[in-house]
Amino acid sequence: MKYYKLSMDMDRENDIVCHFYNDFPISQNALVMGKYFDSWNDEYESYYLSSEGSVWTDYLANDKGWFLVSDKLRRILESLNSDIQFLKIKIKEKSNDGLSKEYFIANILRVVDALCLEKSKYFTTNIEGVGTIYTVSKYGIYANKTGNSDIFKLANRQQVPIFVSEKFKEIIEMEKVTGISLTEIAVE
């Protein structure tokens, strides 16, 4: 099976970019580490400026780096083999209080120990008290360690990138999901 690293589609133009202002009560890393978040308030809001972009995508760009998904993409993710916490958030145009849409932060909880260093390009840094840190520029994974997951993150301090299966790729292409770019990774 093939696997891919999921990224924001950077070739698009005029897409909405969401902003979480400084008073947003959650640290940036809280929803990228693969841990359940139990202090969510469904009244949280994010804003965008139509002067920066006005096209709604299924994966919305945002200044926190969170996996911010439409209801369409949420339903697709729920149908796949994974473990995801969905946190509802309202997206509003900054200058127009009446215009808003509901999106979800997809907090990927499935973290697998599948990083294959032999198939990856990386360098190491040793940090006292922490150990070896791998800075990876091209990922490789062990397919047999993914648990046949369709969407997951990697262990060993590699939780920021999101990885997906070939099944995920086929479904989002068929459903014409927008805002996502996939890069095939090496598989052992």
Side-chain angles (χ1 to χ4, degrees), residues 104-120:
F104 300 86
I105 297 168
N107 184 17
I108 312 300
L109 302 174
R110 178 141 325 146
V111 176
V112 299
D113 190 6
L115 179 63
C116 176
L117 293 175
E118 293 79 27
K119 296 275 186 179
S120 299

Side-chain angles (χ1 to χ4, degrees), residues 1 16 19 84 87 92 118 152 162:
M1 177 182 284
I16 288 172
H19 301 278
I84 304 172
L87 305 167
K92 288 183 155 186
E118 293 79 27
F152 58 91
I162 298 171

Side-chain angles (χ1 to χ4, degrees), residues 29-114:
N29 290 336
L31 298 174
V32 296
M33 300 309 295
K35 295 185 175 160
Y36 188 83
F37 190 80
D38 60 1
S39 300
W40 192 253
N41 176 342
D42 283 347
E43 300 302 315
Y44 288 145
E45 297 176 341
S46 177
Y47 298 92
Y48 73 96
L49 298 168
S50 57
S51 59
E52 293 180 344
S54 59
V55 177
W56 294 94
T57 55
D58 293 305
Y59 175 15
L60 279 183
N62 62 90
D63 60 4
K64 291 278 192 186
W66 293 339
F67 191 27
L68 191 55
V69 303
S70 66
D71 188 55
K72 172 183 173 180
L73 184 50
R74 179 190 59 84
R75 284 184 272 116
I76 291 169
L77 293 168
E78 287 178 331
S79 73
L80 297 169
N81 179 13
S82 191
D83 186 12
I84 304 172
Q85 176 188 21
F86 292 98
L87 305 167
K88 186 169 55 172
I89 188 160
K90 190 179 290 185
I91 311 297
K92 288 183 155 186
E93 206 288 324
K94 178 82 171 149
S95 62
N96 180 353
D97 287 336
L99 181 62
S100 68
K101 285 195 178 191
E102 185 176 275
Y103 269 70
F104 300 86
I105 297 168
N107 184 17
I108 312 300
L109 302 174
R110 178 141 325 146
V111 176
V112 299
D113 190 6

Side-chain angles (χ1 to χ4, degrees), residues 15 20 27 38 43 76 101 107 123 133 138 151 179 183:
D15 290 350
F20 296 91
S27 75
D38 60 1
E43 300 302 315
I76 291 169
K101 285 195 178 191
N107 184 17
F123 67 87
I133 303 292
K138 287 192 174 186
I151 186 163
T183 305

